[in-house]
Amino acid sequence: MTVLTAPPARPFDLDRALIHLGAWALAMVWILPLAYAVWTAFHPSAYETRFVLLAPLTLENFVTAWNAAPFGRYFVNTILLVTMILATQLVLCSMAAFAFARFEFPGRNILFALVLVQLMVMPDILIVRNYATMGQLGLIDSILAIGLPYFASGFAIFLLRQTFKTVPRELDEAARIEGCSWAGLLWRVYVPLARPTMLAFGLVSVSHHWNNFIWPLIITSSVNTRPLTVGLSIFATTDSGTEWSIINAATLITSGPLLIAFLIFQRQFVQSFMRAGVK
């Protein structure tokens, strides 16, 4: 007769418990400001500091915020900006990464080291020089001026170079035998194989430039060129004062698209970074 015995109890792991506790603490720190913004945005201003479970819901704060500032124009400017930057970055950085990965030329290692140095230089250090350059080009207060300093990305070049170096040389030789040019080899062989890396970088680039604030604030001065971050800051300081319900509604209007996109594509977001080799 076989006697079934219960498996031994798992010993208490203090390290694992502390890690879980820390993760929950960080999650609460992150989610509390968002929860407060959602609460105040969907409730009348009388409930900004009164957390009543049965408080009435309203969309009036969103209507007021949308009508108080030209957020439609801000959205158009931001979408044009991030699309322009990302498209240019992918084209330029793909070509640069391909050259670093597959071509032998004098000074290649030195040039690539300079690309890596760019990763250690904060963009804010170059604000004065960039502003002077945009003034000389006559581009101040334009969407092009916001994006031009970011058209070349050392991070993208590094990621794509590492990905291109993993492509077998046999594919190069086979494509060249078939009469494929170097440009055709890049766009027909290397770029399709690097799509996970490009997606990972694209998510980072769009998120960064959607939320970028300092440089757009300095280089723009009119409604026709302001992105969402600058428009929101001006709206919060001049139009609605301390009405947190309206300010938070405007905040959700501007950050909502990114938040919804992340919640929808979070699995693809994580998988793209894993495939790209980002630790």
PDB file of all heavy atoms in Angstrom, residues 100 103-115:
ATOM      1  N   PHE A 100      30.016  50.728 -40.080  1.00  0.00           N
ATOM      2  CA  PHE A 100      30.888  50.315 -38.979  1.00  0.00           C
ATOM      3  C   PHE A 100      30.963  48.795 -38.853  1.00  0.00           C
ATOM      4  O   PHE A 100      31.990  48.247 -38.436  1.00  0.00           O
ATOM      5  CB  PHE A 100      30.383  50.908 -37.658  1.00  0.00           C
ATOM      6  CG  PHE A 100      30.735  52.360 -37.466  1.00  0.00           C
ATOM      7  CD1 PHE A 100      29.746  53.301 -37.232  1.00  0.00           C
ATOM      8  CD2 PHE A 100      32.050  52.781 -37.514  1.00  0.00           C
ATOM      9  CE1 PHE A 100      30.062  54.633 -37.051  1.00  0.00           C
ATOM     10  CE2 PHE A 100      32.384  54.115 -37.338  1.00  0.00           C
ATOM     11  CZ  PHE A 100      31.383  55.051 -37.109  1.00  0.00           C
ATOM     12  N   PHE A 103      32.305  47.459 -43.240  1.00  0.00           N
ATOM     13  CA  PHE A 103      33.357  48.052 -44.062  1.00  0.00           C
ATOM     14  C   PHE A 103      34.632  48.245 -43.244  1.00  0.00           C
ATOM     15  O   PHE A 103      34.584  48.536 -42.043  1.00  0.00           O
ATOM     16  CB  PHE A 103      32.912  49.406 -44.631  1.00  0.00           C
ATOM     17  CG  PHE A 103      31.789  49.302 -45.619  1.00  0.00           C
ATOM     18  CD1 PHE A 103      30.962  50.374 -45.867  1.00  0.00           C
ATOM     19  CD2 PHE A 103      31.551  48.123 -46.315  1.00  0.00           C
ATOM     20  CE1 PHE A 103      29.925  50.292 -46.778  1.00  0.00           C
ATOM     21  CE2 PHE A 103      30.524  48.012 -47.234  1.00  0.00           C
ATOM     22  CZ  PHE A 103      29.706  49.111 -47.467  1.00  0.00           C
ATOM     23  N   GLU A 104      35.760  48.102 -43.913  1.00  0.00           N
ATOM     24  CA  GLU A 104      37.062  48.400 -43.325  1.00  0.00           C
ATOM     25  C   GLU A 104      37.576  49.695 -43.938  1.00  0.00           C
ATOM     26  O   GLU A 104      37.732  49.794 -45.157  1.00  0.00           O
ATOM     27  CB  GLU A 104      38.046  47.258 -43.602  1.00  0.00           C
ATOM     28  CG  GLU A 104      37.682  45.927 -42.957  1.00  0.00           C
ATOM     29  CD  GLU A 104      37.898  45.921 -41.452  1.00  0.00           C
ATOM     30  OE1 GLU A 104      38.597  46.838 -40.966  1.00  0.00           O
ATOM     31  OE2 GLU A 104      37.362  45.021 -40.784  1.00  0.00           O
ATOM     32  N   PHE A 105      37.824  50.708 -43.088  1.00  0.00           N
ATOM     33  CA  PHE A 105      38.336  51.974 -43.593  1.00  0.00           C
ATOM     34  C   PHE A 105      39.194  52.617 -42.504  1.00  0.00           C
ATOM     35  O   PHE A 105      39.013  52.329 -41.312  1.00  0.00           O
ATOM     36  CB  PHE A 105      37.191  52.912 -44.003  1.00  0.00           C
ATOM     37  CG  PHE A 105      36.155  53.137 -42.946  1.00  0.00           C
ATOM     38  CD1 PHE A 105      36.289  54.163 -42.015  1.00  0.00           C
ATOM     39  CD2 PHE A 105      35.026  52.328 -42.866  1.00  0.00           C
ATOM     40  CE1 PHE A 105      35.335  54.381 -41.043  1.00  0.00           C
ATOM     41  CE2 PHE A 105      34.063  52.533 -41.895  1.00  0.00           C
ATOM     42  CZ  PHE A 105      34.218  53.558 -40.979  1.00  0.00           C
ATOM     43  N   PRO A 106      40.136  53.461 -42.881  1.00  0.00           N
ATOM     44  CA  PRO A 106      41.042  54.081 -41.895  1.00  0.00           C
ATOM     45  C   PRO A 106      40.264  54.897 -40.864  1.00  0.00           C
ATOM     46  O   PRO A 106      39.363  55.671 -41.195  1.00  0.00           O
ATOM     47  CB  PRO A 106      41.942  54.976 -42.752  1.00  0.00           C
ATOM     48  CG  PRO A 106      41.862  54.402 -44.132  1.00  0.00           C
ATOM     49  CD  PRO A 106      40.477  53.836 -44.262  1.00  0.00           C
ATOM     50  N   GLY A 107      40.605  54.714 -39.597  1.00  0.00           N
ATOM     51  CA  GLY A 107      39.984  55.477 -38.524  1.00  0.00           C
ATOM     52  C   GLY A 107      38.629  54.972 -38.087  1.00  0.00           C
ATOM     53  O   GLY A 107      37.910  55.666 -37.356  1.00  0.00           O
ATOM     54  N   ARG A 108      38.261  53.756 -38.519  1.00  0.00           N
ATOM     55  CA  ARG A 108      36.929  53.248 -38.175  1.00  0.00           C
ATOM     56  C   ARG A 108      36.753  53.147 -36.662  1.00  0.00           C
ATOM     57  O   ARG A 108      35.720  53.567 -36.122  1.00  0.00           O
ATOM     58  CB  ARG A 108      36.705  51.879 -38.823  1.00  0.00           C
ATOM     59  CG  ARG A 108      35.311  51.318 -38.585  1.00  0.00           C
ATOM     60  CD  ARG A 108      35.133  49.931 -39.151  1.00  0.00           C
ATOM     61  NE  ARG A 108      35.911  48.943 -38.405  1.00  0.00           N
ATOM     62  CZ  ARG A 108      35.729  47.629 -38.494  1.00  0.00           C
ATOM     63  NH1 ARG A 108      34.828  47.153 -39.341  1.00  0.00           N
ATOM     64  NH2 ARG A 108      36.467  46.798 -37.789  1.00  0.00           N
ATOM     65  N   ASN A 109      37.732  52.581 -35.981  1.00  0.00           N
ATOM     66  CA  ASN A 109      37.613  52.403 -34.529  1.00  0.00           C
ATOM     67  C   ASN A 109      37.574  53.742 -33.797  1.00  0.00           C
ATOM     68  O   ASN A 109      36.858  53.897 -32.801  1.00  0.00           O
ATOM     69  CB  ASN A 109      38.764  51.551 -34.013  1.00  0.00           C
ATOM     70  CG  ASN A 109      38.705  50.120 -34.531  1.00  0.00           C
ATOM     71  OD1 ASN A 109      37.621  49.607 -34.842  1.00  0.00           O
ATOM     72  ND2 ASN A 109      39.847  49.477 -34.645  1.00  0.00           N
ATOM     73  N   ILE A 110      38.338  54.706 -34.303  1.00  0.00           N
ATOM     74  CA  ILE A 110      38.340  56.025 -33.669  1.00  0.00           C
ATOM     75  C   ILE A 110      36.980  56.697 -33.832  1.00  0.00           C
ATOM     76  O   ILE A 110      36.424  57.274 -32.889  1.00  0.00           O
ATOM     77  CB  ILE A 110      39.455  56.903 -34.267  1.00  0.00           C
ATOM     78  CG1 ILE A 110      40.823  56.304 -33.963  1.00  0.00           C
ATOM     79  CG2 ILE A 110      39.361  58.329 -33.726  1.00  0.00           C
ATOM     80  CD1 ILE A 110      41.978  57.054 -34.583  1.00  0.00           C
ATOM     81  N   LEU A 111      36.428  56.612 -35.037  1.00  0.00           N
ATOM     82  CA  LEU A 111      35.116  57.211 -35.278  1.00  0.00           C
ATOM     83  C   LEU A 111      34.037  56.548 -34.431  1.00  0.00           C
ATOM     84  O   LEU A 111      33.154  57.226 -33.889  1.00  0.00           O
ATOM     85  CB  LEU A 111      34.763  57.109 -36.761  1.00  0.00           C
ATOM     86  CG  LEU A 111      35.567  57.986 -37.716  1.00  0.00           C
ATOM     87  CD1 LEU A 111      35.176  57.705 -39.160  1.00  0.00           C
ATOM     88  CD2 LEU A 111      35.365  59.462 -37.392  1.00  0.00           C
ATOM     89  N   PHE A 112      34.114  55.219 -34.304  1.00  0.00           N
ATOM     90  CA  PHE A 112      33.109  54.546 -33.496  1.00  0.00           C
ATOM     91  C   PHE A 112      33.276  54.902 -32.014  1.00  0.00           C
ATOM     92  O   PHE A 112      32.283  55.005 -31.286  1.00  0.00           O
ATOM     93  CB  PHE A 112      33.212  53.031 -33.680  1.00  0.00           C
ATOM     94  CG  PHE A 112      32.130  52.266 -32.977  1.00  0.00           C
ATOM     95  CD1 PHE A 112      30.816  52.366 -33.383  1.00  0.00           C
ATOM     96  CD2 PHE A 112      32.429  51.451 -31.891  1.00  0.00           C
ATOM     97  CE1 PHE A 112      29.807  51.680 -32.729  1.00  0.00           C
ATOM     98  CE2 PHE A 112      31.427  50.754 -31.233  1.00  0.00           C
ATOM     99  CZ  PHE A 112      30.115  50.866 -31.655  1.00  0.00           C
ATOM    100  N   ALA A 113      34.518  55.108 -31.579  1.00  0.00           N
ATOM    101  CA  ALA A 113      34.737  55.554 -30.197  1.00  0.00           C
ATOM    102  C   ALA A 113      34.122  56.932 -29.968  1.00  0.00           C
ATOM    103  O   ALA A 113      33.540  57.201 -28.903  1.00  0.00           O
ATOM    104  CB  ALA A 113      36.234  55.584 -29.889  1.00  0.00           C
ATOM    105  N   LEU A 114      34.201  57.811 -30.962  1.00  0.00           N
ATOM    106  CA  LEU A 114      33.566  59.126 -30.842  1.00  0.00           C
ATOM    107  C   LEU A 114      32.048  59.004 -30.775  1.00  0.00           C
ATOM    108  O   LEU A 114      31.380  59.787 -30.082  1.00  0.00           O
ATOM    109  CB  LEU A 114      33.967  60.003 -32.029  1.00  0.00           C
ATOM    110  CG  LEU A 114      35.447  60.407 -32.086  1.00  0.00           C
ATOM    111  CD1 LEU A 114      35.726  61.210 -33.357  1.00  0.00           C
ATOM    112  CD2 LEU A 114      35.849  61.206 -30.858  1.00  0.00           C
ATOM    113  N   VAL A 115      31.493  58.023 -31.499  1.00  0.00           N
ATOM    114  CA  VAL A 115      30.052  57.772 -31.409  1.00  0.00           C
ATOM    115  C   VAL A 115      29.676  57.364 -29.991  1.00  0.00           C
ATOM    116  O   VAL A 115      28.664  57.819 -29.437  1.00  0.00           O
ATOM    117  CB  VAL A 115      29.627  56.695 -32.428  1.00  0.00           C
ATOM    118  CG1 VAL A 115      28.178  56.267 -32.179  1.00  0.00           C
ATOM    119  CG2 VAL A 115      29.771  57.211 -33.843  1.00  0.00           C
TER     120      VAL A 115
END
